[in-house]
Amino acid sequence: MAVASVSRSIVKKVLAVETPEGAGALVRRSIGSMTLRNLSPFLMLDHFQISKGAGFPDHPHRGQATVTYMLEGTSRHEDSAGHKGTIETGGVQWMCAGKGIIHAEMPVHEEGLPDPRGMQLWIDLPKEYKMVDPMYQELGPKEIPSAYPEGLDGPVKIKVISGKSHGVESPVRHLGGCWYFHLSFSKKGITVFQDIPEGWTAFIYIWKGSVIVGNDIIPAESFHTLVLSANKGETGVKMVSGDDDTQFILVAGEPLDQTVFQYGPFVMTTREEIQKTLMDYQMGRNGFEKAHTWQSEIGKQ
C-alpha cells in the first residue's frame, strides 16, 4: 500500500542580505547569521559572488564538511595536504576538514565571462568524525546526475548533487552527508513533490524566481532561505514554481544530537575542544603541522 505524500510547510523565512566577506567577496548569508543560528546539522550557507581581486586566501578548518557548488564561473582550490584543482560551472567540491587543514579558494576571472557565483554550505560532522584525516570528493558538471520528473523535455530538472530524487541517486558518499538538490523550473505553476526522510532538517534557498511550498498560496521570493517543518508523518515537500525560470536548492540532513561550539572556522562540541584546537593550530600539531609553513600558490596571486 502506497504511503500518502504529506508535505512539509515553511516554519521560518530568512532574507539573506548581501554583506562583505573574506578578501573583497560579497556573500548572502542566511544559515549562520544572527537570525538563523541553530539548524543542525547545518552551520552556514553562503550565496557568494566574487569580483576581480577578491577571494578566500589561506585559512584553516577543523570539525566540519564544506560543500562548494558553482552556479557561474569557476573557482580554484588548494590545501596543505596537497590537493588542488578547479571547480567548474555546475561542479561541486565536498571537503571533509576532519582534524585540520589549511585551505584556499580563489576565483578564476576571464574576459567577457561573469564573476564566479556559487553556494557554500558548512555541515557539522558527528563528534566521532571530527578528528579523522581530511578527505575530498569532487564531481564535474557532467558527473552530477539529473532527474526529470516530467520527462527529458519537461519543464523541471533536478540536479542530484547528493541523495536520491525520482529514481536518480548521486555518487557522492561523504562524511558530513546530506541530500542536496538544484531544482530548475522553466515555467510558472509546475508542481514537484520531493521525498525527504522523516525528521530530517530541511531548507530551501531561492536565487531566481519564486516558489510556493506546501499548502501556501503566496510564493516566497528570491534570496530567501525557507526552513521547513519536520513533523511526524510528513514524507517530503510539495513545491510549485511561482515564476518562469525559477531556480533554488533543496537541502536536507539528519540532525545531530550534540552541542556546537564554533570559533570561526573551527567547529567542535565543547569549549575545551575549541581551546585545544586553538593550541593545536598555534603549535602546528594534530592536523595543523603545516599551519605556519605552508602557503598556497593561488593565495599569492
Side-chain angles (χ1 to χ4, degrees), residues 206-243:
I206 314 157
W207 67 85
K208 190 180 284 188
S210 62
V211 62
I212 301 164
V213 175
N215 295 320
D216 284 359
I217 299 170
I218 301 171
E221 303 290 340
S222 295
F223 309 124
H224 281 87
T225 292
L226 315 175
V227 181
L228 304 179
S229 59
N231 299 318
K232 190 171 178 58
E234 292 177 339
T235 60
V237 57
K238 184 179 86 168
M239 301 161 287
V240 182
S241 51
D243 293 282

Side-chain angles (χ1 to χ4, degrees), residues 30 46 63 85 96 129 142 146 150 163 203 209 237 263 268 279 298-299:
S30 51
D46 279 356
C96 171
Y129 296 138
K142 293 179 180 177
S146 294
E150 299 198 15
F203 68 87
V237 57
Y263 186 87
M268 304 303 286
M279 286 298 295
I298 61 174

